[in-house]
Amino acid sequence: MSKTDLTRRGVLRTGAVAGAGLALPTIFTSGAHAFTNEPMGGTVTLGFNVPQSGAYADEGADELRAYQLAVEHLNGEGDGGMLNTFSSKTLEGNGILGKKVEFVTGDTQTKSDAARASAKSMIEKDGAVMITGGSSSGVAVAVQGLCQEAGVIFMSGLTHSNDTTGKDKKANGFRHFFNAYMSGAALAPVLAARYGADRKAYHLTADYTWGWTQEESIAAATEALGWETVNKVRTPLGAGDFSSYITPVLQTDADVLILNHYGGDMVNSLTNAVQFGLREKMVNGKQFEIVVPLFSRLMARGAGENIKGILGSTNWHWSLTDEGSKAFVKSFGTKYGFPPSQAAHTCYVQTLLYADAVARAGSFNPCAVVEALEGFEFDGLGNGKTLYRAEDHQCFKDVLVVRGKENPTSEFDLLEIVEITPAAQVTYPADHPMFAGGALGDCNAG
Protein backbone atom coordinates (compact mmCIF):
# COMPACT_ATOMS: atom_id res chain seq x y z
CA MET A 1 0.00 0.00 0.00
CA SER A 2 1.37 3.41 -0.93
CA LYS A 3 1.96 6.33 1.40
CA THR A 4 -0.80 8.17 -0.47
CA ASP A 5 -3.22 5.31 0.20
CA LEU A 6 -2.32 5.34 3.90
CA THR A 7 -2.97 9.05 4.11
CA ARG A 8 -6.30 8.75 2.29
CA ARG A 9 -7.45 6.05 4.71
CA GLY A 10 -6.50 8.20 7.70
CA VAL A 11 -4.21 5.49 9.09
CA LEU A 12 -1.16 7.73 9.27
CA ARG A 13 -0.86 11.36 8.28
CA THR A 14 2.79 11.39 9.28
CA GLY A 15 4.13 8.81 6.84
CA ALA A 16 5.26 6.54 9.70
CA VAL A 17 5.33 2.83 9.00
CA ALA A 18 4.97 0.37 11.87
CA GLY A 19 8.30 -0.91 13.08
CA ALA A 20 10.34 1.34 10.80
CA GLY A 21 13.27 3.40 11.98
CA LEU A 22 12.86 2.96 15.72
CA ALA A 23 16.45 3.88 16.49
CA LEU A 24 16.48 7.43 17.83
CA PRO A 25 18.91 9.98 16.43
CA THR A 26 21.45 11.25 18.93
CA ILE A 27 20.19 14.83 18.63
CA PHE A 28 16.62 15.88 17.81
CA THR A 29 17.36 19.59 17.63
CA SER A 30 19.47 21.86 15.52
CA GLY A 31 21.68 24.57 16.88
CA ALA A 32 19.10 27.18 15.83
CA HIS A 33 16.51 25.84 18.27
CA ALA A 34 16.58 26.14 22.04
CA PHE A 35 14.65 22.87 22.46
CA THR A 36 13.14 20.09 20.37
CA ASN A 37 10.81 21.45 17.68
CA GLU A 38 10.68 24.96 19.09
CA PRO A 39 7.85 26.65 17.13
CA MET A 40 9.44 29.42 15.07
CA GLY A 41 6.54 30.62 12.92
CA GLY A 42 2.88 31.42 13.41
CA THR A 43 1.76 27.84 14.09
CA VAL A 44 2.48 25.03 16.54
CA THR A 45 2.03 21.34 15.75
CA LEU A 46 0.63 18.74 18.16
CA GLY A 47 0.81 14.98 17.51
CA PHE A 48 -2.28 12.87 18.13
CA ASN A 49 -1.32 9.19 18.30
CA VAL A 50 -4.43 6.99 18.61
CA PRO A 51 -5.51 3.41 17.83
CA GLN A 52 -7.27 3.68 14.49
CA SER A 53 -7.12 -0.10 14.11
CA GLY A 54 -6.88 -3.03 16.51
CA ALA A 55 -8.80 -4.04 19.63
CA TYR A 56 -9.14 -0.48 20.95
CA ALA A 57 -10.07 1.28 17.68
CA ASP A 58 -13.47 2.47 18.97
CA GLU A 59 -11.74 4.33 21.79
CA GLY A 60 -9.20 5.76 19.35
CA ALA A 61 -11.87 7.14 17.03
CA ASP A 62 -13.49 9.00 19.91
CA GLU A 63 -10.12 10.28 21.12
CA LEU A 64 -9.44 11.76 17.70
CA ARG A 65 -12.83 13.47 17.67
CA ALA A 66 -12.03 15.04 21.04
CA TYR A 67 -8.59 16.21 19.92
CA GLN A 68 -10.06 17.90 16.86
CA LEU A 69 -12.64 19.63 19.06
CA ALA A 70 -9.95 20.79 21.48
CA VAL A 71 -7.95 22.28 18.60
CA GLU A 72 -11.03 24.16 17.40
CA HIS A 73 -11.62 25.58 20.86
CA LEU A 74 -7.98 26.56 21.34
CA ASN A 75 -8.08 28.37 18.00
CA GLY A 76 -11.20 30.32 18.95
CA GLU A 77 -13.68 28.27 16.92
CA GLY A 78 -16.95 26.80 18.14
CA ASP A 79 -18.46 27.58 21.54
CA GLY A 80 -15.23 27.27 23.52
CA GLY A 81 -16.34 24.18 25.46
CA MET A 82 -14.44 23.72 28.70
CA LEU A 83 -12.38 26.85 28.15
CA ASN A 84 -15.42 28.58 29.64
CA THR A 85 -15.47 26.43 32.80
CA PHE A 86 -11.75 25.76 33.38
CA SER A 87 -10.61 27.34 36.65
CA SER A 88 -7.46 28.62 34.93
CA LYS A 89 -8.32 31.60 32.73
CA THR A 90 -5.04 31.85 30.86
CA LEU A 91 -6.24 30.48 27.51
CA GLU A 92 -7.96 33.06 25.33
CA GLY A 93 -8.98 31.13 22.23
CA ASN A 94 -6.13 32.58 20.16
CA GLY A 95 -4.15 29.36 19.79
CA ILE A 96 -1.27 28.74 22.18
CA LEU A 97 0.87 31.80 22.90
CA GLY A 98 -0.75 33.37 19.86
CA LYS A 99 0.26 30.53 17.53
CA LYS A 100 -2.45 28.71 15.61
CA VAL A 101 -2.69 25.06 16.64
CA GLU A 102 -2.23 22.47 13.90
CA PHE A 103 -2.02 18.70 14.30
CA VAL A 104 -0.88 15.46 12.72
CA THR A 105 -2.16 11.98 13.52
CA GLY A 106 -0.84 8.44 13.68
CA ASP A 107 -2.24 4.95 14.15
CA THR A 108 -0.81 3.13 17.18
CA GLN A 109 -2.55 -0.09 16.05
CA THR A 110 -2.60 -0.87 19.81
CA LYS A 111 1.00 -2.04 19.31
CA SER A 112 3.98 -0.52 21.10
CA ASP A 113 6.36 -0.64 18.11
CA ALA A 114 3.81 0.90 15.75
CA ALA A 115 3.01 3.61 18.30
CA ARG A 116 6.68 4.49 18.77
CA ALA A 117 7.18 4.61 15.01
CA SER A 118 4.27 6.97 14.42
CA ALA A 119 5.23 9.19 17.37
CA LYS A 120 8.85 9.28 16.18
CA SER A 121 7.72 10.35 12.72
CA MET A 122 5.51 13.11 14.09
CA ILE A 123 8.42 14.46 16.12
CA GLU A 124 11.13 14.17 13.46
CA LYS A 125 9.21 14.84 10.24
CA ASP A 126 6.26 16.95 11.34
CA GLY A 127 7.82 18.98 14.14
CA ALA A 128 5.31 17.99 16.81
CA VAL A 129 6.17 19.73 20.09
CA MET A 130 3.84 17.51 22.13
CA ILE A 131 2.59 13.95 21.64
CA THR A 132 -0.65 12.69 23.16
CA GLY A 133 -3.06 9.78 22.82
CA GLY A 134 -3.31 6.02 23.02
CA SER A 135 -5.77 3.56 24.56
CA SER A 136 -3.26 0.97 25.73
CA SER A 137 -0.89 1.21 28.66
CA GLY A 138 1.72 -0.78 26.76
CA VAL A 139 1.59 1.90 24.08
CA ALA A 140 1.64 4.70 26.66
CA VAL A 141 4.73 3.36 28.41
CA ALA A 142 6.56 2.91 25.09
CA VAL A 143 5.68 6.35 23.70
CA GLN A 144 6.32 8.07 27.03
CA GLY A 145 9.83 6.63 27.01
CA LEU A 146 10.42 7.82 23.46
CA CYS A 147 9.18 11.33 24.25
CA GLN A 148 11.50 11.49 27.25
CA GLU A 149 14.44 10.65 24.98
CA ALA A 150 13.30 13.02 22.25
CA GLY A 151 12.76 15.99 24.52
CA VAL A 152 9.03 16.55 23.99
CA ILE A 153 6.08 16.43 26.37
CA PHE A 154 3.86 13.35 26.43
CA MET A 155 0.28 13.89 27.64
CA SER A 156 -1.03 10.33 27.85
CA GLY A 157 -4.51 9.41 26.70
CA LEU A 158 -6.34 6.37 28.02
CA THR A 159 -3.76 4.46 30.05
CA HIS A 160 -4.81 2.71 33.26
CA SER A 161 -1.76 0.65 34.27
CA ASN A 162 -0.14 1.59 37.55
CA ASP A 163 3.20 1.44 35.76
CA THR A 164 2.57 4.54 33.61
CA THR A 165 3.06 6.77 36.65
CA GLY A 166 4.79 4.04 38.67
CA LYS A 167 7.92 2.17 37.67
CA ASP A 168 7.80 3.56 34.12
CA LYS A 169 7.08 7.20 34.96
CA LYS A 170 9.09 9.89 33.17
CA ALA A 171 9.67 13.57 33.83
CA ASN A 172 8.29 14.51 30.38
CA GLY A 173 5.13 12.41 30.83
CA PHE A 174 1.79 13.28 32.48
CA ARG A 175 -1.39 11.27 33.09
CA HIS A 176 -4.85 12.72 33.68
CA PHE A 177 -6.64 9.33 33.50
CA PHE A 178 -7.04 7.34 36.71
CA ASN A 179 -5.23 4.04 37.31
CA ALA A 180 -5.73 0.42 38.35
CA TYR A 181 -5.06 1.08 42.03
CA MET A 182 -7.78 3.74 42.03
CA SER A 183 -10.26 1.37 40.39
CA GLY A 184 -9.61 -1.22 43.09
CA ALA A 185 -9.87 1.31 45.91
CA ALA A 186 -13.18 2.67 44.60
CA LEU A 187 -14.78 -0.56 43.43
CA ALA A 188 -13.90 -3.10 46.14
CA PRO A 189 -16.02 -1.55 48.93
CA VAL A 190 -19.03 -1.45 46.61
CA LEU A 191 -18.51 -5.09 45.61
CA ALA A 192 -18.25 -6.18 49.23
CA ALA A 193 -21.35 -4.22 50.20
CA ARG A 194 -23.45 -5.63 47.35
CA TYR A 195 -22.13 -9.17 47.00
CA GLY A 196 -20.82 -9.87 50.52
CA ALA A 197 -17.34 -10.37 51.95
CA ASP A 198 -17.32 -14.17 51.56
CA ARG A 199 -16.63 -14.45 47.84
CA LYS A 200 -14.29 -16.49 45.63
CA ALA A 201 -12.96 -14.71 42.54
CA TYR A 202 -11.51 -16.05 39.30
CA HIS A 203 -9.52 -13.56 37.19
CA LEU A 204 -9.10 -13.49 33.42
CA THR A 205 -6.45 -10.91 32.64
CA ALA A 206 -5.10 -9.22 29.52
CA ASP A 207 -1.46 -10.28 29.32
CA TYR A 208 0.33 -6.94 29.31
CA THR A 209 1.18 -4.14 31.73
CA TRP A 210 -2.36 -2.84 32.23
CA GLY A 211 -3.89 -6.27 32.83
CA TRP A 212 -1.14 -7.25 35.27
CA THR A 213 -1.55 -4.16 37.44
CA GLN A 214 -5.36 -4.19 37.21
CA GLU A 215 -5.38 -7.80 38.39
CA GLU A 216 -2.95 -7.01 41.21
CA SER A 217 -4.95 -3.98 42.31
CA ILE A 218 -8.46 -5.44 42.32
CA ALA A 219 -7.23 -8.70 43.90
CA ALA A 220 -5.47 -6.84 46.71
CA ALA A 221 -8.45 -4.54 47.33
CA THR A 222 -11.03 -7.36 47.41
CA GLU A 223 -8.84 -9.73 49.45
CA ALA A 224 -8.42 -6.99 52.04
CA LEU A 225 -12.20 -7.07 52.47
CA GLY A 226 -12.42 -10.86 52.80
CA TRP A 227 -12.58 -12.19 49.23
CA GLU A 228 -10.52 -15.20 48.17
CA THR A 229 -8.74 -15.31 44.80
CA VAL A 230 -9.24 -18.78 43.30
CA ASN A 231 -7.18 -18.37 40.12
CA LYS A 232 -5.51 -15.82 37.85
CA VAL A 233 -5.28 -16.64 34.15
CA ARG A 234 -3.56 -14.48 31.52
CA THR A 235 -5.11 -14.07 28.07
CA PRO A 236 -3.57 -12.65 24.88
CA LEU A 237 -4.57 -9.19 23.68
CA GLY A 238 -7.02 -9.46 20.78
CA ALA A 239 -7.86 -13.14 21.40
CA GLY A 240 -11.31 -12.75 19.84
CA ASP A 241 -12.86 -15.92 21.27
CA PHE A 242 -12.39 -16.49 25.00
CA SER A 243 -14.43 -19.71 25.24
CA SER A 244 -11.38 -21.82 26.07
CA TYR A 245 -10.66 -19.51 29.00
CA ILE A 246 -14.25 -19.49 30.28
CA THR A 247 -14.70 -23.29 30.37
CA PRO A 248 -12.20 -23.88 33.24
CA VAL A 249 -14.07 -21.38 35.40
CA LEU A 250 -16.97 -23.82 35.50
CA GLN A 251 -14.73 -26.48 37.05
CA THR A 252 -13.90 -24.37 40.12
CA ASP A 253 -15.83 -23.16 43.16
CA ALA A 254 -15.42 -19.52 42.09
CA ASP A 255 -18.60 -17.47 42.41
CA VAL A 256 -17.26 -14.26 40.81
CA LEU A 257 -15.54 -13.82 37.45
CA ILE A 258 -13.40 -10.69 37.21
CA LEU A 259 -12.67 -9.70 33.61
CA ASN A 260 -9.50 -7.63 33.52
CA HIS A 261 -10.12 -6.92 29.84
CA TYR A 262 -10.79 -3.72 27.91
CA GLY A 263 -12.24 -2.66 24.58
CA GLY A 264 -13.23 -5.37 22.14
CA ASP A 265 -11.63 -8.02 24.35
CA MET A 266 -14.00 -7.18 27.19
CA VAL A 267 -16.99 -7.29 24.86
CA ASN A 268 -15.96 -10.72 23.59
CA SER A 269 -15.02 -12.27 26.95
CA LEU A 270 -18.21 -11.00 28.61
CA THR A 271 -20.28 -12.33 25.71
CA ASN A 272 -18.63 -15.73 26.01
CA ALA A 273 -19.18 -15.79 29.78
CA VAL A 274 -22.89 -15.06 29.35
CA GLN A 275 -23.17 -17.67 26.57
CA PHE A 276 -21.76 -20.26 28.99
CA GLY A 277 -24.54 -19.40 31.44
CA LEU A 278 -22.35 -17.96 34.19
CA ARG A 279 -24.83 -15.22 35.11
CA GLU A 280 -27.54 -17.83 35.76
CA LYS A 281 -25.35 -20.08 37.92
CA MET A 282 -25.65 -20.54 41.66
CA VAL A 283 -22.34 -21.38 43.35
CA ASN A 284 -21.66 -21.74 47.07
CA GLY A 285 -25.30 -20.84 47.63
CA LYS A 286 -24.76 -17.47 45.94
CA GLN A 287 -25.66 -15.94 42.61
CA PHE A 288 -22.63 -16.00 40.31
CA GLU A 289 -21.47 -12.48 39.49
CA ILE A 290 -19.28 -10.93 36.79
CA VAL A 291 -17.21 -7.80 37.40
CA VAL A 292 -15.44 -5.58 34.85
CA PRO A 293 -13.09 -3.30 36.84
CA LEU A 294 -12.66 -0.81 33.98
CA PHE A 295 -15.18 -0.13 31.26
CA SER A 296 -16.73 2.65 29.26
CA ARG A 297 -19.88 3.54 27.39
CA LEU A 298 -18.28 2.37 24.13
CA MET A 299 -17.68 -1.06 25.62
CA ALA A 300 -21.18 -1.11 27.09
CA ARG A 301 -22.58 -0.43 23.63
CA GLY A 302 -20.58 -3.32 22.19
CA ALA A 303 -21.66 -5.69 24.96
CA GLY A 304 -25.37 -4.88 24.52
CA GLU A 305 -27.74 -6.73 26.85
CA ASN A 306 -24.83 -8.51 28.54
CA ILE A 307 -23.64 -5.36 30.32
CA LYS A 308 -26.82 -4.92 32.31
CA GLY A 309 -26.14 -4.99 36.05
CA ILE A 310 -22.37 -5.37 35.63
CA LEU A 311 -20.32 -3.25 38.05
CA GLY A 312 -17.12 -1.47 37.15
CA SER A 313 -15.31 1.85 37.37
CA THR A 314 -14.77 4.71 34.95
CA ASN A 315 -12.83 7.96 34.81
CA TRP A 316 -15.75 10.13 33.68
CA HIS A 317 -19.26 9.82 32.28
CA TRP A 318 -21.27 12.14 30.08
CA SER A 319 -24.24 12.16 32.49
CA LEU A 320 -22.32 14.14 35.14
CA THR A 321 -24.01 17.45 35.89
CA ASP A 322 -21.09 19.71 36.79
CA GLU A 323 -20.65 22.77 34.56
CA GLY A 324 -17.50 21.46 32.90
CA SER A 325 -19.02 18.14 31.93
CA LYS A 326 -22.17 19.80 30.61
CA ALA A 327 -20.12 22.22 28.51
CA PHE A 328 -18.03 19.42 27.01
CA VAL A 329 -21.03 17.17 26.30
CA LYS A 330 -22.82 20.08 24.62
CA SER A 331 -19.84 20.94 22.40
CA PHE A 332 -19.07 17.35 21.49
CA GLY A 333 -22.71 16.45 20.90
CA THR A 334 -23.29 19.50 18.71
CA LYS A 335 -20.31 18.59 16.51
CA TYR A 336 -20.72 14.82 16.33
CA GLY A 337 -24.33 14.03 17.21
CA PHE A 338 -23.70 11.80 20.23
CA PRO A 339 -22.14 12.08 23.70
CA PRO A 340 -18.40 11.64 24.30
CA SER A 341 -16.73 8.66 25.94
CA GLN A 342 -14.31 8.74 28.86
CA ALA A 343 -11.48 8.34 26.32
CA ALA A 344 -12.66 11.45 24.51
CA HIS A 345 -12.93 13.37 27.76
CA THR A 346 -9.43 12.64 29.06
CA CYS A 347 -7.84 13.43 25.68
CA TYR A 348 -9.69 16.73 25.35
CA VAL A 349 -8.72 17.68 28.90
CA GLN A 350 -5.06 16.73 28.40
CA THR A 351 -4.87 18.99 25.35
CA LEU A 352 -6.26 21.92 27.29
CA LEU A 353 -3.98 21.22 30.26
CA TYR A 354 -0.92 21.21 28.01
CA ALA A 355 -1.94 24.44 26.27
CA ASP A 356 -2.69 26.10 29.60
CA ALA A 357 0.68 25.04 31.04
CA VAL A 358 2.48 26.52 28.04
CA ALA A 359 0.49 29.74 28.40
CA ARG A 360 1.17 30.00 32.13
CA ALA A 361 4.86 29.24 31.59
CA GLY A 362 5.09 31.63 28.66
CA SER A 363 7.10 29.01 26.77
CA PHE A 364 6.86 25.74 24.80
CA ASN A 365 10.11 24.58 26.41
CA PRO A 366 9.31 21.13 27.85
CA CYS A 367 11.04 21.89 31.14
CA ALA A 368 8.95 25.04 31.58
CA VAL A 369 5.81 23.01 30.86
CA VAL A 370 6.84 20.37 33.41
CA GLU A 371 7.31 23.06 36.05
CA ALA A 372 3.90 24.55 35.25
CA LEU A 373 2.09 21.21 35.51
CA GLU A 374 3.78 19.84 38.62
CA GLY A 375 1.60 20.47 41.66
CA PHE A 376 -1.03 22.23 39.53
CA GLU A 377 -4.50 22.26 41.10
CA PHE A 378 -7.51 22.94 38.91
CA ASP A 379 -11.26 22.55 38.58
CA GLY A 380 -13.95 22.91 35.94
CA LEU A 381 -12.81 20.07 33.64
CA GLY A 382 -15.37 17.45 34.62
CA ASN A 383 -13.84 15.60 37.57
CA GLY A 384 -14.12 18.17 40.34
CA LYS A 385 -11.06 19.52 42.08
CA THR A 386 -7.98 17.82 40.66
CA LEU A 387 -4.28 17.77 41.50
CA TYR A 388 -1.40 16.98 39.13
CA ARG A 389 0.93 15.55 41.75
CA ALA A 390 4.54 16.66 41.30
CA GLU A 391 6.09 13.44 42.62
CA ASP A 392 4.73 11.15 39.87
CA HIS A 393 2.76 13.32 37.39
CA GLN A 394 -0.48 11.50 38.22
CA CYS A 395 -3.81 13.35 38.51
CA PHE A 396 -5.81 12.74 41.69
CA LYS A 397 -9.56 13.28 41.50
CA ASP A 398 -12.91 11.61 42.18
CA VAL A 399 -13.53 8.16 40.65
CA LEU A 400 -16.86 6.83 39.39
CA VAL A 401 -18.26 3.38 40.20
CA VAL A 402 -20.80 2.52 37.51
CA ARG A 403 -23.20 -0.25 36.56
CA GLY A 404 -24.77 -1.32 33.29
CA LYS A 405 -28.30 0.07 33.19
CA GLU A 406 -31.14 -2.41 33.39
CA ASN A 407 -33.53 -0.16 31.44
CA PRO A 408 -31.59 2.23 29.20
CA THR A 409 -33.57 4.97 27.50
CA SER A 410 -31.29 5.23 24.45
CA GLU A 411 -28.25 3.63 22.82
CA PHE A 412 -26.09 6.10 24.76
CA ASP A 413 -27.81 5.80 28.14
CA LEU A 414 -26.10 2.53 29.06
CA LEU A 415 -24.37 3.23 32.38
CA GLU A 416 -25.59 4.56 35.70
CA ILE A 417 -23.36 6.08 38.35
CA VAL A 418 -23.52 4.01 41.53
CA GLU A 419 -21.05 6.04 43.56
CA ILE A 420 -18.73 9.00 43.18
CA THR A 421 -15.71 7.95 45.22
CA PRO A 422 -13.89 10.98 46.65
CA ALA A 423 -10.28 11.58 45.65
CA ALA A 424 -9.12 11.06 49.24
CA GLN A 425 -10.24 7.40 49.15
CA VAL A 426 -8.19 6.61 46.04
CA THR A 427 -5.08 8.63 46.93
CA TYR A 428 -1.93 6.71 47.84
CA PRO A 429 1.62 7.74 48.81
CA ALA A 430 4.04 8.25 45.94
CA ASP A 431 6.23 5.42 47.27
CA HIS A 432 3.39 2.86 47.45
CA PRO A 433 4.75 -0.64 46.64
CA MET A 434 2.49 -1.00 43.58
CA PHE A 435 4.20 2.05 42.06
CA ALA A 436 7.77 1.36 43.15
CA GLY A 437 10.83 0.75 41.02
CA GLY A 438 11.10 3.86 38.88
CA ALA A 439 12.13 7.51 39.10
CA LEU A 440 10.90 10.55 37.19
CA GLY A 441 14.43 11.69 36.46
CA ASP A 442 15.08 15.10 34.96
CA CYS A 443 13.05 16.79 32.26
CA ASN A 444 14.59 16.67 28.81
CA ALA A 445 14.24 19.60 26.43
CA GLY A 446 16.16 17.93 23.62
Side-chain angles (χ1 to χ4, degrees), residues 53-97:
S53 58
Y56 298 164
D58 283 351
E59 308 285 342
D62 227 33
E63 289 179 353
L64 194 53
R65 295 182 189 105
Y67 284 133
Q68 293 169 336
L69 184 64
V71 168
E72 289 181 10
H73 291 167
L74 290 172
N75 287 333
E77 303 167 10
D79 63 7
M82 283 184 167
L83 291 185
N84 300 314
T85 61
F86 189 11
S87 57
S88 176
K89 301 301 179 184
T90 308
L91 297 171
E92 299 177 352
N94 62 342
I96 306 176
L97 294 183

Side-chain angles (χ1 to χ4, degrees), residues 46-52 56 59-68 103-112 114-116 118-119 122 128 130-145 147 152-160 164 172-177 342-352 354 388:
L46 307 182
F48 301 148
N49 207 21
V50 304
Q52 298 179 48
Y56 298 164
E59 308 285 342
D62 227 33
E63 289 179 353
L64 194 53
R65 295 182 189 105
Y67 284 133
Q68 293 169 336
F103 67 91
V104 290
T105 70
D107 181 9
T108 70
Q109 303 174 37
T110 318
K111 298 176 181 178
S112 297
R116 281 179 64 95
S118 58
M122 286 188 274
M130 182 271 278
I131 301 294
T132 180
S135 293
S136 156
S137 291
V139 162
V141 167
V143 175
Q144 181 167 260
C147 290
V152 300
I153 292 294
F154 176 62
M155 303 293 286
S156 64
L158 197 159
T159 169
H160 193 244
T164 307
N172 284 40
F174 291 84
R175 171 165 58 182
H176 170 264
F177 205 70
Q342 65 171 351
H345 171 257
T346 202
C347 289
Y348 176 93
V349 168
Q350 283 283 69
T351 309
L352 264 57
Y354 170 77
Y388 240 134

Side-chain angles (χ1 to χ4, degrees), residues 32-43:
H33 290 217
F35 52 88
T36 301
N37 294 336
E38 179 184 5
M40 303 300 285
T43 63

Side-chain angles (χ1 to χ4, degrees), residues 246-261:
I246 300 294
T247 303
V249 180
L250 302 170
Q251 310 307 317
T252 72
D253 63 347
D255 47 39
V256 178
L257 174 62
I258 298 181
L259 295 175
N260 299 303
H261 291 155

